[in-house]
Amino acid sequence: MAPKPKEKAKASAAAAAPVISIEDLFTSLNRYIQRSEYEQAVKVSDQILAAAPGDEDAIRCKVVALVKADSIEEALVAIKDSSKKASLDLSFFKGYCLYRQNKLEEALESLKGQEGSTESMLLESQILYRLGKMGASVDIYQKLPKSTIDSLEINLVAGLVSAGRSLEVQGTLDSLRVKATSSFELAYNTACSLIEREKYKDAEQLLLSARRIGQETLMEENLADDDVEIELAPIAVQIAYVQQILGNTQEAIASYTDLVKRNLADESSLAVAVNNLIALKGPKDVSDGLRKLDKLIEKSDGPEKFPLARGLDLKLSQKQREAIYTNRVLLLLHSNKMDQARELVGALPGMFPGSLMPVLLQAAVHVRENKAAKAEEILGQYADKFPDRSKVILLARAQVAAAAGHPQIAADSLVKIPDIQHKPATVATIVSLKERAGDTDGADAVFDSAIKWWSNAMTEDNKLNTIMQEAAAFKLRHGRKEEAARLYEQLVKNHGSIEALVGLIQTAAHAEIEKAEAYEKQLKPLPGLKAIDVDSLEKTSGAKQAEKGPNAGATETYEVKSKDKAKKKRKRKPRYPKGFDPANPGPPPDPERWLPKRERSSYRPKRKDKRAAQIRGSQGAVAKEAASSSDTKSNQPANPKGASQNAVQSKASSKSSRKKSRK
């Protein structure tokens, strides 16, 4: 069969085109890579692979160019195709592409067998850091050769801070012989370690130094002012956070607001600033807070129902992401949007499987719906399932139960926390809750357990004296006088407490009067009580309250002297107006001169104009209303003065009351 004309033309054109050698193609490929023109580099790589399908250098250049061009999915396809054509090991590139797609477990799996190289160790440490396995990430960093990697200390300090090992930061810097102010990134990370150690003043000074160093460094690189602010935005957010912790709330709010309004920050720093600003304001402006968080949280039908916008899932730590979702749930509860809150809380356990916050938020939703018993049940089940992480859960359960009027459940929750079991505040709370629940024996057992624990405790700040004093008062209040007397007596012997001695006398006075009198002699006599006859004092009706101060007891003499020295009031002559003669005062003034005209007896209201009522209709017609009114007037009594006066008085009284209310 003869070929078609078009096919003949194509074949002739291909034959006429000059054939480019592979060397020239590699030269072009190198030129495009040097210029960072990665799309052109991919095209040239395809031309080389068309001529030499198994060329390993061309395959590697194509994969790297696709990664540099952010074509991650195409890079994975190229890696998969190259495995069929050549025996080239591209496991590292595959792991990096999976890391970029946030498929962290698959990325870690692809790096197996690559542990020896420095590049794979760096990538593995980054993957572990993203997975939240900070300890393993730091261990890999510490195994890396320090001399061959630039700025290794920056990532190493960041990993130590994230792993909760901030105390090791200074020692690590000393071993590396690096100062914290050698770069603004290292100064920032070191300041974060100081924040974790609650050294906020030192952290603030180091953050200010980091900002100054960063401005100088970035200005030398000829960056624009806006780009400099974007690069230094994390430092600005951290400075505002330190101000917030130190109590400078207004300054922190101003800094966060300025960052959000100007929008000159990277996406992660902007998200942190928005979240912290919402946390500072609290429930003051719920609608505005929800509107800002809606820009950070999206809703999708995929496996993750509420992913963060703009790739923030990859840029924020787990702690930061959890704070954003927590604030959104709290704002939804404050705005009474229970359906949305319930939906978001249901998705949080899958997003943060090892965290306590989803359980606490779920309980908060039930409390908001007046289902305290359900909240107590959920918290109790979690505490029983994970006893090693139950401290916060049990404290929350105790608070919910106490607020709901379930004191026994609250007390049982506190009893299950061994760390704070015997602290005075915890003992007082449990005893109070058990008293409310009517469990006096249980409250007494709590005191006995606390006394036994503090008796064996080898601490400088021993609270045995305080616990025994309160326990004795409790036992005395509930009729257990023998046990109370024993505790008081032990306190007197061991500590010589005056309060315990008084309590012992009060307790022994109920049963053993002789013993009470014997202990009473140990009390120091009060000054001024030697000359008082107690028998005569008991016969009196009662003692008057004595005045305090140096003049007490000299009241009568003082009163007599004050009466003698009292001056008589001088009578003054009355002052009259100018031109007034008191001998001929004239007619008395009108007693009603200060009353309004309507309230005076001489007031007569004006008559209504009869002509004001117009008659409509034909000529000579008379309105029915006018006729009926004339009939009613004729039927009324001749003198309706009493009714009109009552009406005037009621109006006048209301008017006067209005005047009084204005004053």
Side-chain angles (χ1 to χ4, degrees), residues 270 439 513 569 575 602 611:
L270 194 62
D439 187 8
I513 299 177
K569 291 184 179 180
R575 298 177 64 183
S602 60
R611 292 175 295 179

Side-chain angles (χ1 to χ4, degrees), residues 66-243:
L66 287 170
V67 171
K68 291 285 187 180
D70 290 332
S71 302
I72 305 299
E73 192 64 39
E74 296 178 14
L76 284 172
V77 173
I79 292 170
K80 186 177 180 180
D81 294 340
S82 65
S83 62
K84 300 176 182 177
K85 299 176 182 179
S87 59
L88 184 63
D89 186 10
L90 298 174
S91 302
F92 172 77
F93 296 103
K94 181 181 178 181
Y96 181 77
C97 291
L98 293 170
Y99 165 75
R100 289 283 300 273
Q101 290 183 335
N102 204 31
K103 298 177 181 179
L104 303 178
E105 296 291 348
E106 297 180 29
L108 204 61
E109 185 69 24
S110 68
L111 288 178
K112 287 185 176 180
Q114 303 285 327
E115 291 84 358
S117 64
T118 303
E119 294 81 5
S120 62
M121 290 176 69
L122 279 171
L123 179 58
E124 184 180 0
S125 64
Q126 285 294 108
I127 294 171
L128 291 171
Y129 183 87
R130 188 75 63 80
L131 285 169
K133 300 176 181 180
M134 307 301 178
S137 176
V138 171
D139 292 340
I140 293 176
Y141 271 121
Q142 290 176 338
K143 294 177 184 177
L144 288 168
K146 277 76 177 177
S147 58
T148 58
I149 302 173
D150 295 333
S151 304
L152 174 66
E153 65 276 359
I154 297 174
N155 288 352
L156 181 55
V157 171
L160 288 172
V161 174
S162 301
R165 296 159 61 178
S166 299
L167 293 173
E168 303 177 23
V169 169
Q170 190 58 48
T172 302
L173 294 179
D174 294 339
S175 64
L176 295 174
R177 297 180 181 179
V178 178
K179 290 184 178 180
T181 54
S182 60
S183 66
F184 70 92
E185 297 99 333
L186 184 59
Y188 170 78
N189 288 343
T190 309
C192 292
S193 71
L194 292 174
I195 292 172
E196 290 294 323
R197 294 164 60 187
E198 298 182 359
K199 295 185 177 182
Y200 301 114
K201 286 289 185 181
D202 297 339
E204 186 179 19
Q205 295 300 319
L206 191 54
L207 286 170
L208 293 173
S209 300
R211 184 168 62 182
R212 177 180 52 78
I213 297 168
Q215 289 172 347
E216 294 173 357
T217 304
L218 297 174
M219 286 295 183
E220 291 175 358
E221 297 178 4
N222 296 323
L223 288 180
D225 292 341
D226 291 349
D227 294 335
V228 171
E229 289 198 28
I230 292 172
E231 288 289 332
L232 300 179
I235 300 176
V237 173
Q238 203 73 315
I239 291 173
Y241 174 72
V242 172
Q243 290 174 342

Side-chain angles (χ1 to χ4, degrees), residues 263-370:
N263 200 18
L264 290 176
D266 59 296
E267 293 175 350
S268 57
S269 299
L270 194 62
V272 173
V274 168
N275 180 75
N276 291 1
L277 181 61
I278 291 171
L280 263 179
K281 290 184 176 180
K284 291 181 180 178
D285 196 353
V286 177
S287 58
D288 181 64
L290 283 173
R291 192 162 51 249
K292 288 177 179 176
L293 284 181
D294 285 340
K295 297 178 182 178
L296 302 179
I297 300 175
E298 297 177 348
K299 188 175 180 181
S300 67
D301 298 329
E304 293 186 6
K305 292 185 179 180
F306 298 95
L308 293 178
R310 301 185 296 275
L312 288 173
D313 283 322
L314 307 178
K315 299 175 182 178
L316 296 176
S317 65
Q318 180 178 351
K319 186 178 180 181
Q320 291 169 333
R321 288 186 280 117
E322 189 178 46
I324 291 174
Y325 288 110
T326 301
N327 281 339
R328 178 166 177 78
V329 172
L330 295 177
L331 289 178
L332 289 172
L333 292 179
H334 280 299
S335 59
N336 208 26
K337 296 181 179 180
M338 302 307 300
D339 294 337
Q340 297 182 33
R342 209 179 296 110
E343 184 180 9
L344 181 55
V345 165
L348 290 182
M351 299 166 65
F352 308 102
S355 176
L356 302 176
M357 192 56 67
V359 184
L360 296 174
L361 292 175
Q362 191 175 2
V365 171
H366 287 303
V367 171
R368 185 71 174 179
E369 294 175 335
N370 295 325

Side-chain angles (χ1 to χ4, degrees), residues 543-605:
K544 295 182 180 179
Q545 185 176 1
E547 295 184 2
K548 296 180 181 179
N551 295 327
T555 332
E556 297 180 0
T557 57
Y558 176 75
E559 289 179 358
V560 173
K561 290 180 180 179
S562 62
K563 288 180 181 179
D564 294 340
K565 293 182 179 180
K567 295 181 180 180
K568 296 181 179 180
K569 291 184 179 180
R570 186 176 62 182
K571 293 184 179 180
R572 297 173 181 253
K573 293 182 179 181
R575 298 177 64 183
Y576 298 106
K578 189 177 180 180
F580 178 75
D581 186 7
N584 299 313
D590 186 8
E592 297 181 352
R593 65 188 183 280
W594 303 116
L595 294 176
K597 287 185 177 181
R598 286 183 172 273
E599 297 183 19
R600 299 180 188 177
S601 58
S602 60
Y603 173 73
R604 294 292 181 269

